[in-house]
Amino acid sequence: MSKWTGVLSMDLENRKGKTIAKRVFFQGAFKVMRPIYHDDSGKVCYYLLNPGGGYLDGDRYKMDISAEEGANVTLTTQSATKVYKTPNNYAYQETVIYLKKGSYLEYLPDPLIAYQNARYKQKNVIHMEKGATFLYTDILTPGWSPNGDYFSFDSVQLITEINWDGKLGVFDHIKLTPAQQNLSGLGYMEGYSHLGSMIIISEQTSTSIIDEIYQSIETEEIDIKFGLSKLEVPGFSLRILGNSTQHIERVFTKCLHIINQKWFHRTPSSLRKY
């Protein structure tokens, strides 16, 4: 435990149509709330907690999640991940997820807020069997600074690696260092302050649903730029630039509704926390 500020691990399984955790372990500044079942579908929702209220200098967090065949899970956070100044060493979070065939996992954390002089690195590694479904979102939001600059953090690095059927299928790497990059310029944030990413991996992915999601986003009368790309493995990615966390969340919610209704004939439950 000396290496990690907080550790969390869970093994989830489908037991008679209901997803439960057959093993839960947490220690340090990382906890999980009791399971919540929003409806009678058997799908479980867990809220991840950071009792410390934010990530500080040198903090290190590790999360391991496994979902057995038929498990149906939503993971989210209780509030935004706030990274404060890190004068000596960056804050770090590592997440490893294992998904068996027929499992479904949504990982929908609240926004990451990097404050002035913050350094943060995040690594997500997902191992999926064929037949599993994975849905992930993240939003990078600028933190408050005394001079009002949007990009007052030192560095933010976000790595997502998805292994499909034993082979690397997706590698997404975002690294923002305001002192070395003109983040407001072309090819970076292009005048926007917020960045949202969504990755969906499923064998149910089709050109028609990608087109439907694209057209649905096009109808939104909000100031955003977005790109939607089909992946080499069954799935697609969505990237959004905007000036509001709520605008990006609104688009992600619309995508979640389309996916859930088309693939599972259900409406996703609200994860409202305030």
Side-chain angles (χ1 to χ4, degrees):
M1 181 61 202
S2 59
K3 180 181 178 182
W4 301 102
T5 309
V7 172
L8 169 65
S9 64
M10 288 197 299
D11 297 330
L12 300 136
E13 66 176 358
N14 183 342
R15 188 174 296 177
K16 297 181 179 180
K18 185 176 182 179
T19 300
I20 65 167
K22 63 179 181 180
R23 187 186 69 87
V24 178
F25 172 81
F26 51 84
Q27 188 174 3
F30 213 171
K31 299 184 184 299
V32 63
M33 288 178 62
R34 294 174 62 87
I36 295 174
Y37 296 89
H38 291 111
D39 52 39
D40 59 2
S41 68
K43 182 181 181 183
V44 68
C45 178
Y46 282 98
Y47 287 83
L48 309 173
L49 311 178
N50 180 340
Y55 289 14
L56 304 173
D57 191 58
D59 280 355
R60 298 174 65 82
Y61 294 85
K62 182 174 176 61
M63 180 169 70
D64 288 287
I65 305 292
S66 69
E68 299 295 327
E69 185 173 351
N72 200 326
V73 189
T74 296
L75 298 178
T76 187
T77 50
Q78 186 187 37
S79 60
T81 298
K82 303 178 180 69
V83 185
Y84 300 104
K85 64 180 180 179
T86 56
N88 299 310
N89 199 0
Y90 61 85
Y92 176 72
Q93 176 159 319
E94 178 180 303
T95 299
V96 181
I97 297 173
Y98 298 89
L99 301 178
K100 296 289 187 180
K101 66 177 182 179
S103 62
Y104 176 88
L105 189 142
E106 298 173 340
Y107 183 25
L108 311 173
D110 282 306
L112 167 69
I113 305 176
Y115 288 90
Q116 187 177 44
N117 301 323
R119 288 178 293 162
Y120 177 73
K121 182 177 180 179
Q122 173 181 290
K123 186 175 183 180
N124 299 322
V125 180
I126 295 89
H127 300 276
M128 301 179 62
E129 292 184 355
K130 285 185 176 181
T133 297
F134 177 65
L135 195 155
Y136 170 67
T137 64
D138 67 47
I139 301 174
L140 175 59
T141 301
W144 178 87
S145 66
N147 56 12
D149 288 345
Y150 277 138
F151 309 113
S152 61
F153 55 84
D154 286 350
S155 66
V156 170
Q157 186 176 9
L158 308 174
I159 299 171
T160 299
E161 174 186 312
I162 301 177
N163 298 282
W164 172 259
D165 195 30
K167 297 180 181 179
L168 180 62
V170 177
F171 185 79
D172 186 48
H173 186 187
I174 298 172
K175 187 173 184 180
L176 302 179
T177 52
Q180 302 172 25
Q181 304 163 328
N182 177 18
L183 292 189
S184 62
L186 187 67
Y188 290 100
M189 299 294 288
E190 303 191 7
Y192 291 92
S193 57
H194 294 57
L195 172 64
S197 300
M198 171 182 275
I199 298 176
I200 297 176
I201 308 294
S202 173
E203 289 178 293
Q204 297 190 70
T205 302
S206 63
T207 300
S208 62
I209 199 164
I210 293 175
D211 289 343
E212 181 177 346
I213 288 172
Y214 184 92
Q215 292 165 9
S216 177
I217 299 173
E218 280 274 85
T219 64
E220 290 289 340
E221 296 181 355
I222 50 179
D223 182 17
I224 60 170
K225 284 186 178 180
F226 74 96
L228 191 60
S229 303
K230 190 174 182 180
L231 301 170
E232 286 298 313
V233 296
F236 61 92
S237 65
L238 169 65
R239 195 88 78 195
I240 303 173
L241 295 174
N243 290 313
S244 164
T245 298
Q246 288 72 30
H247 285 173
I248 296 175
E249 289 178 334
R250 179 169 154 183
V251 173
F252 284 171
T253 298
K254 176 172 280 193
C255 294
L256 283 168
H257 274 75
I258 293 173
I259 291 295
N260 275 269
Q261 289 169 356
K262 292 290 183 180
W263 291 354
F264 307 106
H265 309 291
R266 67 188 180 206
T267 300
S269 301
S270 171
L271 301 178
R272 182 172 61 89
K273 301 151 196 175
Y274 47 82

